[in-house]
């Protein structure tokens, strides 16, 4: 709580854009005390994914959106990249980012591989516009043609596109602990408490839809930026208990490889992680779990 309520503790990672590379940028980052966020024996770490972090708080200057000009980097919470690393997207795979706005994880997946088809979906109108702008700011023309941006209700995609994707990311709407702690408005806080009760049901429905959209043998990563067990482990346990066609996937090896830079909650099951913010490692909160589809729905 101390870290989350003191923005002076917050840290920002710098994800480089491989489509707009600058050796100068990397040397500037190194001169400012940044180092690569991910090193060592990760099960999946494409050389094209470059992300820099530093221990002390502070924010690298953000870049403004300019039509027709690609940005060189994206500022984000480094923990946001763990669901992307867990999903292990490979060249030529058909990928769905079910709740994609503002677009950081979509951009990160495209730093890792060239999907066959890449479908970014965002139901909310304003957030969908934000997502489109993010993609335009980071992805060059030929590749943009492979990307579909839609505004569908994520709960229906499984029925609209059954067994269509090799990989699905469900970065679900959640009670965002970072922003919600700053809710001084009593009405807004009351509304958020009501929403918080409804979220697990929505998250479960989004996951069911994602499973229907997955091909047998395909993988799915579920993520949130909340510490709420009701929205994290409980949702995943409900899916595992009610969907006979999915099995958990062990992601402990990935966690072990990044344990110097990230603090994790102990006592989690092998298929899930929860990043806890602490001073000097203020990343998170970020929950993720990985599942694999075994057979046709």
């Amino acid at each position: 709580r101390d870290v989350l309520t003191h923005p002076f503790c917050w840290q920002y990672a710098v994800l480089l854009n491989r489509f707009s590379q600058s050796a100068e940028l990397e040397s500037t980052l190194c001169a400012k005390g940044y180092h690569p966020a991910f090193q060592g024996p990760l099960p999946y770490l494409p050389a094209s994914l470059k992300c820099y972090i530093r221990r002390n708080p502070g924010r690298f200057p953000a870049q403004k959106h300019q039509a027709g000009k690609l940005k060189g980097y994206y500022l984000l919470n480094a923990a946001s990249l763990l669901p992307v690393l867990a999903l292990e997207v490979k060249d030529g795979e058909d990928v769905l980012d079910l709740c994609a706005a503002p677009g950081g994880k979509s951009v990160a997946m495209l730093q890792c591989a060239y999907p066959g088809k890449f479908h970014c979906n965002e139901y909310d109108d304003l957030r969908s516009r934000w997502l489109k702008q993010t993609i335009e700011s980071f992805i060059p023309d030929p590749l943009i043609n492979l990307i579909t941006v839609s505004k569908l209700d994520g709960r229906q995609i499984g029925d609209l596109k059954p067994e269509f994707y090799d990989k699905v990311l469900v970065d679900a709407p959640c009670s965002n602990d970072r922003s919600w702690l700053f809710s001084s408005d009593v009405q807004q806080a009351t509304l958020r408490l009501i929403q918080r009760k409804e979220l697990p049901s929505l998250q479960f429905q989004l996951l069911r839809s994602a499973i229907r959209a997955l091909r047998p043998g395909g993988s799915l990563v579920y993520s949130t930026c909340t510490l709420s067990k009701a929205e994290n482990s409980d949702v995943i346990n409900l899916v595992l208990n009610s969907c006979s066609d999915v099995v958990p996937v062990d992601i402990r090896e990935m966690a072990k490889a990044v344990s110097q830079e990230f603090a994790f909650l102990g006592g989690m099951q092998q298929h899930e992680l929860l990043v806890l913010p602490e001073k000097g490692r203020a990343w998170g909160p970020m929950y993720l779990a990985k599942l694999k589809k075994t057979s046709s729905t």
Side-chain angles (χ1 to χ4, degrees):
R1 191 182 178 90
D2 273 357
V3 174
L4 288 176
T5 50
H6 288 92
F8 297 116
C9 297
W10 294 5
Q11 292 161 274
Y12 293 86
V14 183
L15 174 67
L16 303 195
N17 185 10
R18 67 161 158 172
F19 306 111
S20 168
Q21 277 201 332
S22 146
E24 194 185 320
L25 173 60
E26 286 194 67
S27 49
T28 303
L29 286 165
C30 293
K32 287 181 180 289
Y34 283 83
H35 62 272
F38 304 105
Q39 300 174 79
L42 273 127
Y44 170 86
L45 183 62
S48 52
L49 180 77
K50 291 184 176 180
C51 179
Y52 283 83
I53 59 173
R54 64 177 181 183
R55 283 276 164 159
N56 44 333
R59 184 174 186 153
F60 203 66
Q63 291 178 309
K64 284 193 165 63
H65 174 72
Q66 290 175 274
K69 191 168 190 292
L70 293 182
K71 290 186 180 182
Y73 57 89
Y74 189 100
L75 298 181
L76 78 177
N77 184 325
S80 305
L81 294 176
L82 295 179
V84 173
L85 291 172
L87 196 58
E88 301 189 13
V89 175
K90 308 278 196 309
D91 287 348
E93 289 182 326
D94 295 330
V95 180
L96 168 64
D97 190 349
L98 191 70
C99 314
K105 292 182 182 71
S106 292
V107 165
M109 283 189 265
L110 290 162
Q111 302 305 314
C112 295
Y114 293 97
K117 293 187 190 73
F118 193 53
H119 182 178
C120 301
N121 182 67
E122 178 54 53
Y123 187 46
D124 182 86
D125 195 49
L126 187 68
R127 287 171 63 82
S128 182
R129 288 206 291 275
W130 189 5
L131 169 66
K132 275 186 176 155
Q133 190 178 87
T134 302
I135 288 169
E136 281 166 20
S137 293
F138 286 90
I139 311 304
D141 269 353
L143 191 55
I144 273 193
N145 301 336
L146 300 175
I147 302 170
T148 305
V149 179
S150 66
K151 281 198 298 186
L152 300 164
D153 182 336
R155 294 170 291 189
Q156 295 168 357
I157 286 182
D159 292 327
L160 295 169
K161 300 260 188 185
E163 300 193 350
F164 192 82
Y165 302 99
D166 301 297
K167 301 276 165 77
V168 180
L169 175 66
V170 184
D171 187 40
C174 67
S175 43
N176 182 328
D177 291 324
R178 239 172 223 255
S179 62
W180 285 29
L181 281 167
F182 288 89
S183 188
S184 55
D185 180 314
V186 176
Q187 270 185 308
Q188 194 182 35
T190 310
L191 180 66
R192 283 180 164 168
L193 284 171
I194 295 164
Q195 283 178 331
R196 196 167 192 142
K197 289 195 185 102
E198 295 167 353
L199 281 165
S201 169
L202 170 65
Q203 291 155 345
F204 176 70
Q205 290 171 58
L206 288 168
L207 264 173
R208 287 293 302 265
S209 173
I211 291 162
R212 285 197 295 275
L214 257 189
R215 289 181 180 136
S219 309
L220 174 153
V221 169
Y222 172 76
S223 60
T224 73
C225 48
T226 180
L227 299 164
S228 162
K229 183 173 171 287
E231 296 175 51
N232 294 341
S233 301
D234 290 357
V235 172
I236 290 295
N237 288 338
L238 186 58
V239 163
L240 287 169
N241 291 331
S242 60
C243 303
S244 58
D245 54 346
V246 284
V247 291
V249 178
D250 190 338
I251 52 174
R252 285 175 301 183
E253 202 184 326
M254 181 187 84
K256 201 169 123 192
V258 298
S259 58
Q260 275 208 292
E261 300 295 355
F262 298 91
F264 295 106
L265 178 69
M268 301 294 277
Q269 295 181 84
Q270 61 182 26
H271 58 275
E272 56 178 0
L273 303 172
L274 178 58
V275 181
L276 297 175
E278 61 175 40
K279 279 195 176 130
R281 297 192 292 181
W283 315 114
M286 177 62 57
Y287 172 82
L288 60 142
K290 185 169 185 180
L291 308 174
K292 184 172 180 163
K293 187 166 181 175
T294 54
S295 58
S296 291
T297 311

